[in-house]
């Protein structure tokens, strides 16, 4: 690294710093990239090759696993399930959170503290705490009214709100607080009602924060395992549970597992990396102030 | 003048800025009383209803059934399950009986795992964030690469590590045994005492990028003038890190460490995907343990009692943590 690359840096960088940076970051890159490489290279191997001793370089490169993954298990079906559940939970929680966060951020009213404390504290509770009662409630609602929540997509969406809603409210309150109050006051002076101020001024100004919250909520739902493993059945199974079916009694189709993992990861990772500018901005103004 | 008056009033009133401060604008159909007093409640209504549905009612219900002998037998009609008072709790905390002993064991395993994983994630995240604070060639690409483990779906990550930890076909043993000849045998990683370390490695791999992300965000808030002034005074880069960067990150760290602690302590996805529903004894985390007693042995009463105990512990930790950190912050201000 030529020193000229950072000419006006206030932190003049001595050799010790540059070398520490090289060594530490190289080690970290290896740590991060090895599993990523394993996913990619193993997904291009034949079943015979992944069942033998590990090889860094695939002996025969084949794309057959990418074809087979759709046939071995109903992957496309699980993909659609995951998509429906994650998108619905994200949109629902962010929509509800926008109103609630605006109320908390802009108004002072009796019960405000109780509300924020409740939301904040449920955010830290383990999912297992809600899984058990929700499961029993769903089973009993099903018995009493015939409405099937247990095993349905709707039921899963409701349970996903247990983590996405408090999280969305928490992040958005922080973000709305960072938007100068003068902005919506000015809008009100210009004749906007409170709702007008929210949708014409606060929401547009908070787009980076809202995008960040959407991405986080979606990612968490997309990767959720606990609720999905209890609250789904064959027709509503999500990817998180479905991928386990590549393991049969005799074989684990590791090449297909890796191919499928890659396929289900690409949309999320691509979206995340595209939006990371917003994510850092959202985090700066929101959660970490 | 009319334009500035409400703003001045608003900043004076501070918190009550929602009130239009005496300017009676006409809002058709919504009575003034509701507009001023009721609006925040209207805004909160959907959230409150949902909170009731997803958090409050289940929590009350969970506490209720922790006092009942609720087993698979009563699942179709939970209300007929017999009241057992504190029996479930007594069973859970009797540390000389098998159930209490196992719970205490998994509590300690979880605590050790959490402290190690959070400590390492925080350390790596801090180092990476500080080393990447200044521009260098390839920085943007590297930052994107570092965020990949965080962006990957948890199960995809953990499944990959499961594959890497396979005894005969995995990369870990291939490198340690075949290539570096460090171990005499191909060791087991997903059972036995190694399983604890496997768990820590996977957990750190996927959670350090969050620390990195949060700390990078925090670094952006440090005014550059501080560094310029320090450089002018002749402080070297290491000194600047020690005297400016690390202290400035303190508020971020206070939130970050608490959040990481709670997430890791409550983590179910990692052990479940890594080991399945029966984790090895050495890596029997508490969330898996409760899952096991609830959904494998179908003893919901005991599972609920354990959940309530876990909840009390987490509340205690958070309260103490907030108390300690806010006092420190108070000292710093004074």
């Amino acid at each position: 690294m030529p020193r000229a690359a950072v000419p006006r840096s206030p932190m003049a960088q001595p050799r010790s710093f540059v070398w520490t940076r090289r060594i530490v970051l190289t080690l970290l890159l290896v740590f991060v990239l090895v599993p990523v490489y394993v996913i990619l290279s193993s997904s291009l191997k034949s079943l015979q090759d992944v069942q033998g001793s590990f090889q860094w370089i695939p002996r025969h490169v084949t794309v057959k696993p990418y074809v087979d993954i759709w046939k071995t298990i109903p992957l496309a079906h699980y993909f659609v399930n995951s998509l429906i559940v994650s998108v619905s939970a994200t949109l629902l929680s962010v929509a509800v959170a926008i109103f609630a966060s605006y109320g908390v951020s802009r108004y002072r009213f009796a019960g405000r503290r109780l509300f924020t404390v409740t939301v904040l504290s449920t955010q830290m509770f383990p999912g297992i705490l809600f899984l058990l009662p929700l499961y029993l409630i769903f089973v009993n609602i099903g018995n009493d009214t015939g409405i099937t929540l247990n095993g349905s997509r709707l039921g899963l969406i409701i349970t996903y709100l247990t983590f996405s809603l408090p999280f969305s409210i928490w992040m958005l309150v922080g973000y709305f607080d960072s938007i100068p109050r003068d902005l919506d006051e000015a809008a009100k002076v210009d004749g906007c009602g409170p709702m007008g101020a929210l949708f014409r001024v606060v929401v547009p100004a908070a787009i980076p924060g809202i995008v960040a919250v959407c991405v986080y909520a979606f990612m968490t739902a997309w990767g959720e395992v606990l609720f999905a493993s209890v609250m789904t059945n064959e027709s509503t199974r999500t990817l998180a549970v479905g991928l386990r079916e590549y393991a049969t009694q005799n074989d684990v189709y590791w090449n297909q597992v890796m191919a499928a993992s890659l396929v289900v990861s690409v949309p999320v990772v691509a979206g995340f990396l595209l939006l990371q500018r917003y994510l850092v901005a959202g985090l700066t103004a929101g959660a970490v102030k | 003048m009319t334009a500035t008056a409400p703003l001045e009033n608003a900043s004076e009133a501070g918190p009550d800025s929602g009130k239009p401060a005496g300017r009676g604008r006409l809002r058709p159909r919504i009575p003034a009383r509701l507009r001023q007093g009721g609006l925040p409640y209207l805004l909160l209504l959907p959230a409150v209803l949902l909170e009731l549905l997803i958090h409050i009612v289940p929590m009350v219900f969970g506490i209720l059934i922790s006092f009942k002998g609720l087993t698979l037998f009563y699942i179709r009609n939970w209300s007929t399950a017999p009241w057992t008072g504190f029996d479930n709790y007594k069973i859970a905390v009797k540390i000389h009986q098998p159930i209490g002993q196992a719970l205490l064991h998994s509590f300690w395993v979880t605590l050790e795992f959490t402290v190690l994983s959070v400590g390492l994630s925080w350390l790596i995240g801090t180092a990476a964030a500080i080393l990447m604070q200044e521009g260098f060639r390839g920085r943007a690409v590297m930052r994107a690469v570092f965020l990949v483990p965080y962006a990957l779906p948890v199960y995809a990550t953990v499944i990959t590590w499961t594959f890497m930890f396979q005894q005969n076909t995995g990369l870990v043993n291939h490198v340690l045994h075949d290539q570096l000849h460090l171990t005499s045998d191909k060791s087991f990683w997903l059972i036995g005492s190694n399983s604890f370390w496997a768990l820590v490695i996977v957990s750190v791999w996927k959670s350090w990028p969050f620390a990195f992300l949060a700390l990078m965000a925090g670094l952006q808030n440090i005014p550059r003038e501080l560094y310029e002034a320090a450089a002018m005074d002749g402080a070297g880069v290491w000194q600047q890190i020690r005297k400016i960067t690390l202290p400035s990150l303190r508020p971020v760290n206070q939130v970050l460490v608490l959040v990481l602690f709670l997430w890791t302590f409550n983590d179910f996805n990692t052990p479940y995907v890594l080991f399945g529903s029966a984790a090895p004894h050495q890596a029997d985390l508490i969330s898996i343990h409760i899952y096991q007693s609830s959904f494998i042995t179908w003893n919901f009463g005991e599972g609920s009692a354990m959940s309530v105990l876990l909840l009390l512990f987490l509340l205690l930790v958070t309260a103490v943590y907030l108390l300690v950190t806010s006092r420190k912050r108070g000292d710093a201000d004074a």
Side-chain angles (χ1 to χ4, degrees):
Chain A
M1 159 90 38
R3 261 162 179 257
V6 279
R8 287 190 295 147
S9 158
M11 283 166 108
Q13 298 175 357
R15 291 188 80 78
S16 66
F17 182 81
V18 172
W19 274 104
T20 312
R21 183 165 73 195
R22 280 179 194 159
I23 294 167
V24 172
L25 295 187
T26 306
L27 287 176
L28 265 179
L29 266 186
V30 172
F31 182 50
V32 166
L33 284 179
V34 162
V36 176
Y37 176 76
V38 168
I39 303 183
L40 187 67
S41 70
S42 307
S43 72
L44 295 168
K45 292 178 185 172
S46 67
L47 183 61
Q48 207 187 346
D49 281 358
V50 283
Q51 281 171 339
S53 184
F54 183 84
Q55 317 134 20
W56 283 97
I57 313 288
R59 241 190 310 238
H60 316 283
V61 173
T62 168
V63 291
K64 198 164 170 291
Y66 286 92
V67 179
D68 292 343
I69 48 175
W70 309 95
K71 290 181 276 185
T72 314
I73 67 167
L75 184 68
H77 184 69
Y78 300 157
F79 206 99
V80 171
N81 282 341
S82 280
L83 206 61
I84 292 174
V85 172
S86 307
V87 169
S88 316
T90 303
L91 293 183
L92 187 56
S93 56
V94 172
V96 172
I98 284 177
F99 289 107
S101 308
Y102 183 62
V104 168
S105 169
R106 291 302 195 256
Y107 295 92
R108 297 297 177 270
F109 51 89
R112 179 178 174 275
R113 207 173 152 66
L114 177 71
F115 180 79
T116 48
V117 167
T118 310
V119 169
L120 255 178
S121 47
T122 52
Q123 152 97 5
M124 61 180 241
F125 295 163
I128 191 90
L129 192 76
F130 302 111
L131 173 70
L132 205 81
L134 278 171
Y135 174 77
L136 290 172
I137 290 171
F138 285 1
V139 167
N140 279 285
I141 287 180
N143 287 341
D144 295 345
T145 65
I147 301 170
T148 327
L149 286 173
N150 191 28
S152 73
R153 293 202 194 104
L154 177 65
L156 202 59
I157 293 168
I158 294 174
T159 57
Y160 279 14
L161 292 178
T162 57
F163 52 83
S164 63
L165 184 63
F167 173 80
S168 305
I169 294 176
W170 186 49
M171 288 271 295
L172 281 183
V173 169
Y175 208 90
F176 286 174
D177 279 348
S178 75
I179 295 168
R181 222 172 270 267
D182 296 353
L183 276 183
D184 37 317
E185 289 302 328
K188 284 182 190 171
V189 172
D190 289 344
C192 278
M195 286 297 122
L198 170 60
F199 283 108
R200 291 193 191 173
V201 178
V202 178
V203 166
I207 286 294
I210 293 172
V211 171
V213 176
C214 284
V215 174
Y216 281 118
F218 181 83
M219 272 174 34
T220 330
W222 191 255
E224 205 281 334
V225 182
L226 174 64
F227 291 107
S229 71
V230 173
M231 300 278 198
T232 59
N233 58 30
E234 263 168 57
S235 64
T236 55
R237 201 159 286 162
T238 62
L239 292 166
V241 191
L243 287 201
R244 250 183 281 160
E245 291 168 23
Y246 288 111
T248 64
Q249 245 174 353
N250 306 316
D251 278 318
V252 180
Y253 299 116
W254 280 118
N255 52 347
Q256 292 188 40
V257 176
M258 293 297 113
S261 299
L262 198 75
V263 168
V264 306
S265 302
V266 163
V268 205
V269 174
F272 185 86
L273 293 182
L274 276 176
L275 297 171
Q276 54 149 320
R277 197 165 48 88
Y278 287 106
L279 295 169
V280 177
L283 212 62
T284 316
V288 183
K289 270 185 304 173
Chain B
M1 178 228 151
T2 39
T4 53
L7 289 179
E8 277 169 18
N9 276 345
S11 55
E12 264 173 37
D16 288 307
S17 53
K19 292 178 184 172
R23 277 171 57 96
R25 283 192 318 274
L26 274 173
R27 298 276 304 139
R29 290 199 306 165
I30 303 173
R33 175 181 50 82
L34 209 84
R35 194 173 77 230
Q36 295 185 355
L39 183 67
Y41 296 105
L42 218 59
L43 287 167
L44 254 60
L45 188 67
V48 170
L49 288 179
L50 276 178
E51 279 290 320
L52 277 174
L53 176 73
I54 59 177
H55 285 137
I56 310 298
V57 170
M59 209 140 55
V60 172
F61 189 66
I63 294 172
L64 200 71
I65 55 180
S66 70
F67 294 104
K68 279 176 162 268
L70 191 64
T71 56
L72 187 57
F73 185 67
Y74 298 102
I75 185 170
R76 299 220 132 242
N77 200 345
W78 64 275
S79 54
T80 57
W83 284 98
T84 51
F86 279 97
D87 281 5
N88 288 324
Y89 290 91
K90 285 182 195 149
I91 294 169
V93 297
K94 264 190 194 143
I95 52 169
H96 300 298
Q97 300 292 317
I99 290 174
Q101 209 173 16
L103 183 67
L104 189 68
H105 166 80
S106 78
F107 172 78
W108 284 120
V109 169
T110 312
L111 204 60
E112 273 174 62
F113 160 73
T114 307
V115 169
L116 265 171
S117 169
V118 173
L120 287 171
S121 300
W122 176 80
L123 210 65
I124 298 175
T126 306
I130 289 178
L131 290 173
M132 289 175 70
Q133 190 181 7
E134 293 301 319
F136 59 89
R137 210 184 300 157
R139 177 170 171 266
V141 176
M142 206 175 261
R143 192 171 85 164
V145 171
F146 283 171
L147 294 178
V148 166
Y150 184 68
L152 284 170
V154 181
Y155 51 89
T157 316
V158 184
I159 284 181
T160 307
W161 280 97
T162 313
F163 177 51
M164 288 163 62
F165 280 128
Q166 293 295 305
Q167 196 211 357
N168 284 315
T169 59
L171 169 139
V172 175
N173 276 345
H174 178 66
V175 170
L176 292 181
H177 181 76
D178 300 346
Q179 294 192 313
L180 301 176
H181 306 290
L182 289 174
T183 50
S184 53
D185 293 308
K186 289 195 168 184
S187 26
F188 286 101
W189 284 95
L190 299 178
I191 53 171
S193 52
N194 284 341
S195 57
F196 179 80
W197 296 106
L199 197 58
V200 172
I201 291 169
V202 180
S203 175
V204 170
W205 191 82
K206 69 179 187 55
S207 56
W208 81 265
F210 179 77
F212 171 64
L213 195 64
L215 289 165
M216 268 197 321
L219 287 177
Q220 291 184 352
N221 291 342
I222 304 176
R224 290 185 81 78
E225 295 81 49
L226 282 182
Y227 292 112
E228 277 156 18
M232 215 90 88
D233 291 344
V237 63
W238 295 112
Q239 230 176 337
Q240 290 176 22
I241 290 171
R242 227 180 30 249
K243 298 273 167 65
I244 301 172
T245 311
L246 290 177
S248 309
L249 286 177
R250 204 192 207 168
V252 181
N253 275 326
Q254 286 176 349
V255 180
L256 177 67
V257 168
L258 180 67
V259 167
L260 276 179
F261 180 90
L262 292 170
W263 280 351
T264 313
F265 198 91
N266 294 332
D267 190 13
F268 173 87
N269 298 341
T270 312
Y272 186 71
V273 180
L274 200 58
F275 305 120
S277 60
H281 183 67
Q282 290 86 347
D284 189 22
L285 296 192
I286 201 136
S287 51
I288 287 280
H289 191 80
I290 295 176
Y291 179 87
Q292 184 97 29
S293 16
S294 309
F295 288 96
I296 308 293
T297 59
W298 299 102
N299 202 330
F300 293 115
E302 270 171 36
S304 302
M306 290 177 187
S307 303
V308 174
L309 290 174
L310 176 65
L311 173 63
L312 291 176
F313 171 76
L314 291 175
L315 282 176
L316 187 76
V317 168
T318 310
V320 170
Y321 184 85
L322 291 179
L323 214 67
V324 170
T325 52
S326 66
R327 182 175 303 157
K328 259 194 206 148
R329 208 178 297 160
D331 288 350
D333 288 346

